[in-house]
Amino acid sequence: DAGVIQSPRHEVTEMGQEVTLRCKPISGHDYLFWYRQTMMRGLELLIYFNNNVPIDDSGMPEDRFSAKMPNASFSTLKIQPSEPRDSAVYFCASRNTDSSGNTIYFGEGSWLTVV
Amino acid sequence: GDSVTQMEGPVTLSEEAFLTINCTYTATGYPSLFWYVQYPGEGLQLLLKATKADDKGSNKGFEATYRKETTSFHLEKGSVQVSDSAVYFCALSGRRGNKLTFGTGTQLKVEL
């Protein structure tokens, strides 16, 4: 089975540019999560969706960040405008309500560098 | 709120040494507990999990036992290999299982 698929894997962009990260969750999973990983702050939950509806976005750092899930198989995380402090690894993850032990599966991550 | 505390790294061991990475947690109710591993340049992979007290999760020679009385989930391996070099994250999922709370991660380096 295909796992969580993220794109792009690596992106380098200039400050002020818009960045869009994409995620395809595992088929049949009804929860989708966006995490950010930095050396300073470790792994932080940014936002999560249940059945395409945003449930908790309290981790979104500021208005420059937005996330959407237009359907069960696709989500985006957008940063506009981007800043150097947004440089991080962004992980998408998904889960099935019926999964044993509430296991969450992660994608390979999108490695973002803002210069 | 929920929280996870892991031992500080980095941990450097010789090949075939015994490994323990400590993890304690704070949560209401009965969380599920996880260890994830991140190899250099890669994403997070589930290593093992336990969903109730006294359960033992195991995988690839690694083990961890859910100890409710000490709120701990320490990761152990009897004989580490160079290929085990990675960052290990302890995590918990609350009652509703809606999200994971992670520890800060412990870097393990295994040398020949």
Side-chain angles (χ1 to χ4, degrees):
Chain A
D1 287 341
V4 176
I5 299 172
Q6 293 186 243
S7 64
R9 286 295 316 278
H10 299 272
E11 176 147 350
V12 180
T13 191
E14 291 185 346
M15 182 173 62
Q17 296 298 304
E18 177 179 291
V19 174
T20 299
L21 308 178
R22 299 173 177 79
C23 175
K24 176 180 171 55
I26 293 173
S27 178
H29 283 195
D30 54 348
Y31 281 87
L32 184 139
F33 307 83
W34 282 100
Y35 280 84
R36 178 172 68 175
Q37 184 181 34
T38 61
M39 289 293 292
M40 292 297 295
R41 302 172 69 92
L43 279 157
E44 306 171 276
L45 177 65
L46 300 178
I47 185 171
Y48 76 91
F49 297 81
N50 178 220
N51 292 322
N52 314 337
V53 176
I55 302 300
D56 183 355
D57 65 354
S58 59
M60 295 286 264
E62 49 197 274
D63 292 345
R64 296 185 298 106
F65 286 70
S66 62
K68 294 182 179 179
M69 191 167 186
N71 58 62
S73 59
F74 184 67
S75 176
T76 59
L77 177 67
K78 187 174 293 187
I79 309 172
Q80 167 63 20
S82 58
E83 297 181 3
R85 60 194 169 118
D86 301 330
S87 298
V89 185
Y90 292 83
F91 289 106
C92 180
S94 70
R95 178 174 83 81
N96 184 338
T97 297
D98 297 328
S99 70
S100 172
N102 301 323
T103 301
I104 296 176
Y105 297 89
F106 284 77
E108 293 286 300
S110 291
W111 303 67
L112 174 64
T113 302
V114 183
V115 297
Chain B
D2 296 345
S3 67
V4 176
T5 302
Q6 285 183 240
M7 64 186 287
E8 293 279 336
V11 174
T12 303
L13 296 174
S14 298
E15 200 170 43
E16 299 184 0
F18 184 85
L19 168 71
T20 299
I21 300 178
N22 291 337
C23 171
T24 57
Y25 67 90
T26 301
T28 54
Y30 301 90
S32 295
L33 301 174
F34 305 83
W35 279 100
Y36 282 83
V37 59
Q38 185 178 29
Y39 297 102
E42 298 185 11
L44 282 81
Q45 301 175 27
L46 178 66
L47 181 59
L48 54 83
K49 67 181 182 185
T51 59
K52 60 182 186 295
D54 300 324
D55 268 3
K56 177 185 284 188
S58 61
N59 186 25
K60 300 181 181 180
F62 290 89
E63 293 182 339
T65 301
Y66 189 142
R67 301 287 189 199
K68 186 162 178 62
E69 63 276 14
T70 55
T71 62
S72 65
F73 193 56
H74 304 322
L75 182 68
E76 296 182 336
K77 186 174 186 182
S79 176
V80 294
Q81 305 299 311
V82 172
S83 58
D84 294 326
S85 298
V87 180
Y88 293 82
F89 292 91
C90 185
L92 70 82
S93 176
R95 265 181 313 167
R96 295 164 71 182
N98 290 348
K99 57 185 181 180
L100 283 170
T101 299
F102 284 92
T104 53
T106 301
Q107 184 175 9
L108 170 66
K109 183 177 181 181
V110 181
E111 300 174 332
L112 291 171

